[in-house]
Amino acid sequence: MDKIAVLIPCYNEAKTIEKVVSDFKKQLPEAVIYVYDNNSSDGTDEIARRAGAIVRYEYQQGKGNVIRRMFAEIDAECYVMVDGDDTYPADQVQPLVDKVLNKKADMVVGDRLSSTYFEENKRPFHNFGNSIVRGSINLLFKNDIKDIMTGYRAFSYRFVKTFPVLSKGFEIETEMSIHAIDKNMYVENSVIEYRDRPEGSESKLNTYSDGFKVIRTIIRLFRTYRPMAFFGIIALILAIIAGIFFVPIFVNFTQTGLVPKIPTLVVCGFVVIAALQSLFTGLILQTIYAKNRQDFEMDLNRVTKEGIEACNKQ
């Protein structure tokens, strides 16, 4: 087991990877630097190897796939995840590591949004999207993580070994944040400076398609982790729709004793049935979710003990 493992997922980062590896080797001389190459065609892997990193490969395209491979293959007391584009400062890594090793934090978020992100990032839709995602997740899941989509984080052993990676692309950071909130993990924020990519380095993030994937991920995880709220909202909307169409029919019936819009009344009945089905679906899934939480806590205890034993053997 490594004391500290620095994990760098890379796809065509030849212009910056050498500096990133060198900077983290300087700041964390005791750390092992891992670069996972994701089908780069510009020699990123060779440059990283010459800089002193251990280079491994993930051939399924997508950042989520790379992180799944990293988390499965590497054992460490503290994991530092950082992008290979030199937008995150290595000289601010120590507070993230200290909070994992000394304060027993499960995830430390490198918070860009509270410092220089909005000034340095030249893509206004990215700025807007980050604000929307942060606000919606903190509203839906009742938390106060300052930067949901940052790629600069530190993790404990037990977080990494109990995190089920389901996302394939850039929505992985959103999934990490929601998982930590839902599973009552100890999350810390650490303010970091952010700098835009150097000239000649291009972002792999597509503002619109990846933004849509992030929104879809939020909805999917809200349905999974908050089933009663998700299906309860659907039930409430259906009940309101049924009520809007039923009230005029009921008023007409009380005044005349007649029901002139029988098809509308029948549709209202089916909508009410759908609302009840949605409500009971939420209740059933909430029960299943509660059992899954119990199973997760048992698994978390097992992994925590496993990590302590591995550290004591060193």
Side-chain angles (χ1 to χ4, degrees), residues 11 16 58 91 105 113 148 177 206 223 238 247 253 281 314:
Y11 173 59
T16 55
E58 171 54 50
D91 59 6
L113 304 188
I148 298 295
S177 300
N206 184 292
R223 181 193 64 199
L238 291 174
V247 168
F253 176 76
T281 297
Q314 290 182 311

Side-chain angles (χ1 to χ4, degrees), residues 23-42:
D23 287 352
F24 276 92
K25 285 177 69 69
K26 179 181 178 181
Q27 295 298 323
L28 297 172
E30 72 276 29
V32 182
I33 314 293
Y34 295 92
V35 170
Y36 273 69
D37 186 79
N38 193 206
N39 301 312
S40 296
S41 58
D42 61 354

Side-chain angles (χ1 to χ4, degrees), residues 82-100:
V82 65
D83 292 340
D85 56 9
D86 195 31
T87 57
Y88 298 109
D91 59 6
Q92 295 177 25
V93 70
Q94 199 61 54
L96 281 75
V97 172
D98 289 342
K99 288 176 180 178
V100 171

